[in-house]
Amino acid sequence: MSGLRTVLASIGVVGLVGVGYGMWAIISPGEERKREMLKNLPEANPVRMEETRKRNALMLQVLKDAAETNDNIARGYGGQK
């Protein structure tokens, strides 16, 4: 009886995995839709990428300056007295 229960449980698990995979295959986008989504990403636009690079460079510089000073620049009081 326990062997039959194990077989039925195994078949149930395999069936659920199969149903999950089938549902995933149905809702996942096709190859054409994937290409369209990739074209619309912000990284595909060279102007937008350059703006992002500049913004990241400025943020990195601010973090570097903050790490090199003992002043609390978050308060904006202009440093310690």
Side-chain angles (χ1 to χ4, degrees), residues 10-51:
S10 299
I11 290 172
V13 167
V14 169
L16 285 174
V17 168
V19 167
Y21 179 75
M23 290 176 66
W24 178 262
I26 290 171
I27 64 169
S28 65
E31 198 63 34
E32 183 178 320
R33 176 75 177 129
K34 286 180 186 177
R35 280 193 219 117
E36 181 182 329
M37 289 187 327
L38 285 175
K39 284 195 309 190
N40 292 331
L41 285 176
E43 292 83 9
N45 185 348
V47 174
R48 176 83 185 260
M49 276 302 292
E50 187 59 32
E51 290 173 357

